Amino acid sequence: MSTATDSPHRDIPGTAPAVDPIAGGAALARLVDPAEPFVLYERDRVVGVALGAAAELVVTPTGLRVTDVHGRTRTEPIDGTALDRIAAAVGDFVPAGRRAYGWAAFELSYLIHGLPVPAGAGDLLRLVLPTTEVRVSTTGTDIVHTDDPERARDLRRAVSEATPGPERGTPIPVDEDDGADRYRRIVATAISEIHADRFRKVILSRAVPVAGDVDLVATYERGRRNNTPARSFLLRLGGLTAAGFSPETVVEVTDDGAFSTQPLAGTRARHGDDLVDGALRDELLQDPKEIYEHAVSVQTAQDEVADVAAPGSVHVDGFMHVVPRGSVQHLASRVRGRLRPGATAWDALARLFPAVTASGLPKTNACAAISRHEDGPRGLYSGAVLTIDGDGGLDAALALRTLYQQEGRTWLRAGAGIVGTSDPDRELEETREKLRSVSRFLIAREQVRR
């Protein structure tokens, strides 16, 4: 079972690696045609890169569309059996020994759980079976699959010649207080609703626009070297481009049926000063509000894991330890189980999605509150970037700490967990702290060294 990565590549001990996976992945991103689907997904210091789309699966609020490797497309409606239809389609879509890459919007959870999908929601799930798949680690480059040997040679050469990207560039300003007054108001309203017993916890977020021409590849590379994510990703798929540093996984499933989730809840800033950060860590571990927020999240995750796990297989590892995640530090726990007979990775994902740390408690009530209070659908934010193996494995990274580009717009988004004892000013400050995991590392396109 894999564990989260808590140190950036520059902290790998020993001599310099023969291959820099982050630089190599970024080099591949720059090499491909901008019109070609591209997904980079880093897990345990191995960078998987999907290039092109031999086949594609798309789920919308009303239907499912699959284009197979022969270019044939079929569509079917989505109804109350959404999960069964999606799982069956994915099972046919990904052959044994292959891997599909893609993303799931937060609003997919409404479809899975039988709730009305919010108006304006776009695609809910997009997966591609790549024409070429490359995996880059410190030991070398593995061309997992390709139909073009000549292209494979070009890809290997690009990785071998890759050098780390720029660490500096003209800063791109981000107004951390954009929408601050409105955010305070919706937090205050949510606190009132909690006191009225409408729900116990809700995560409310706000989007912050980014002006200027941001180079997402350079921003990803610089941000990854200065963050400590559980997973990282860079993608251009379905009209959406994103670069992110996921703090936690929604679910990890291995091909032998072992699975886990890692809820993070409870937050303090990180400043890079050991004494200051240590004091904030101690404060975090003693704050009743943060401890309550974390404990109820872990309790929910444990119940959800138990719903699809074999009896006696559920346990919690490392309860309420502190992990660094870029500009913040969180309380973390890992809940593990083993799939019961007949259950699949999709059953685990459906039960755990959306992440309790990105929605609230109870989830259905919290999702309804999110629809009421936030300004439009979330899309990828607090959804997942995921890989699906034809042999039964699945890995889904929670899409937070991410820069998004779509339809000429660029933005960041961050949220905070609201409970009955929350303070609107403190929750607003928490969103600022989380934004800095990305906003400090934005690189303008014209500043990138070629």
Side-chain angles (χ1 to χ4, degrees), residues 134-163:
V134 183
R135 296 180 196 168
V136 185
S137 68
T138 57
T139 59
T141 304
D142 181 17
I143 307 294
V144 178
H145 177 85
T146 186
D147 295 328
D148 185 347
E150 184 175 343
R151 189 184 200 196
R153 288 192 293 270
D154 292 340
L155 297 175
R156 287 185 185 278
R157 185 181 306 112
V159 172
S160 67
E161 295 175 354
T163 57

Side-chain angles (χ1 to χ4, degrees), residues 106 109-110 113-116 189-190 193-194 196-204 300 304 354 356 358-374 378 418:
F106 177 77
S109 61
Y110 292 76
H113 297 295
L115 300 172
T189 301
E193 293 175 342
I194 291 170
D197 293 328
R198 298 185 67 175
F199 45 85
R200 297 171 64 190
K201 174 184 175 180
V202 65
I203 287 74
L204 294 179
T300 298
E304 292 173 340
V356 64
S359 53
L361 294 168
K363 280 187 179 179
T364 53
N365 299 43
C367 286
I370 289 168
S371 292
R372 286 197 306 274
H373 296 311
E374 293 190 354
R378 288 179 167 185
I418 314 304

Side-chain angles (χ1 to χ4, degrees), residues 1 40 45 68 94 103 144 184 273 292 340 345 347 386:
M1 173 67 66
L40 177 157
R45 297 192 178 105
D68 66 20
V94 189
W103 54 259
V144 178
R184 289 190 190 93
D273 182 297
Y292 169 78
R340 66 170 183 264
D347 294 303
L386 65 161

Side-chain angles (χ1 to χ4, degrees), residues 44 125 138 143 164 177 181 231 252 361 400 407 433:
D44 300 331
L125 175 69
T138 57
I143 307 294
D177 287 323
D181 290 341
R231 303 287 189 269
E252 305 169 38
L361 294 168
L400 304 176
E407 298 178 349
E433 293 165 356

Side-chain angles (χ1 to χ4, degrees), residues 108-356:
L108 178 66
S109 61
Y110 292 76
L111 188 68
I112 289 175
H113 297 295
L115 300 172
V117 177
D123 292 340
L124 305 180
L125 175 69
R126 273 195 174 261
L127 296 173
V128 292
L129 184 68
T131 54
T132 299
E133 183 186 357
V134 183
R135 296 180 196 168
V136 185
S137 68
T138 57
T139 59
T141 304
D142 181 17
I143 307 294
V144 178
H145 177 85
T146 186
D147 295 328
D148 185 347
E150 184 175 343
R151 189 184 200 196
R153 288 192 293 270
D154 292 340
L155 297 175
R156 287 185 185 278
R157 185 181 306 112
V159 172
S160 67
E161 295 175 354
T163 57
E167 274 296 307
R168 298 184 183 278
T170 301
I172 296 179
V174 174
D175 181 3
E176 294 181 350
D177 287 323
D178 189 280
D181 290 341
R182 182 179 185 278
Y183 188 74
R184 289 190 190 93
R185 288 196 300 272
I186 65 172
V187 169
T189 301
I191 293 170
S192 298
E193 293 175 342
I194 291 170
H195 290 161
D197 293 328
R198 298 185 67 175
F199 45 85
R200 297 171 64 190
K201 174 184 175 180
V202 65
I203 287 74
L204 294 179
S205 66
R206 63 189 180 101
V208 174
V210 176
D213 187 10
V214 183
D215 188 306
L216 257 75
V217 178
T219 295
Y220 165 76
E221 189 174 0
R222 183 186 182 198
R224 175 58 186 90
R225 296 185 189 284
N226 290 278
N227 266 289
T228 49
R231 303 287 189 269
S232 73
F233 54 84
L234 174 67
L235 61 87
R236 184 175 55 246
L237 181 62
L240 174 68
T241 308
F245 317 103
S246 173
E248 65 184 273
T249 52
V250 181
V251 64
E252 305 169 38
V253 187
T254 61
D255 57 10
D256 65 355
F259 73 108
S260 72
T261 185
Q262 187 193 33
L264 272 60
T267 306
R268 283 295 185 274
R270 288 180 72 219
H271 300 279
D273 182 297
D274 289 343
L275 289 177
V276 173
D277 291 345
L280 289 170
R281 177 183 182 278
D282 292 343
E283 180 183 299
L284 174 60
L285 286 166
Q286 298 173 41
D287 187 313
K289 180 265 181 184
E290 306 290 352
I291 292 171
Y292 169 78
E293 182 184 347
H294 185 78
V296 296
S297 298
V298 173
Q299 180 186 32
T300 298
Q302 189 169 357
D303 291 342
E304 292 173 340
V305 167
D307 282 346
V308 291
S313 68
V314 180
H315 62 283
V316 178
D317 285 346
F319 178 68
M320 212 174 76
H321 67 290
V322 178
V323 295
R325 291 292 185 259
S327 59
V328 293
Q329 50 191 323
H330 295 289
L331 297 177
S333 301
R334 184 170 288 276
V335 184
R336 299 186 185 274
R338 183 168 292 278
L339 291 172
R340 66 170 183 264
T344 69
W346 276 95
D347 294 303
L349 177 65
R351 194 65 188 89
L352 289 158
F353 188 83
V356 64

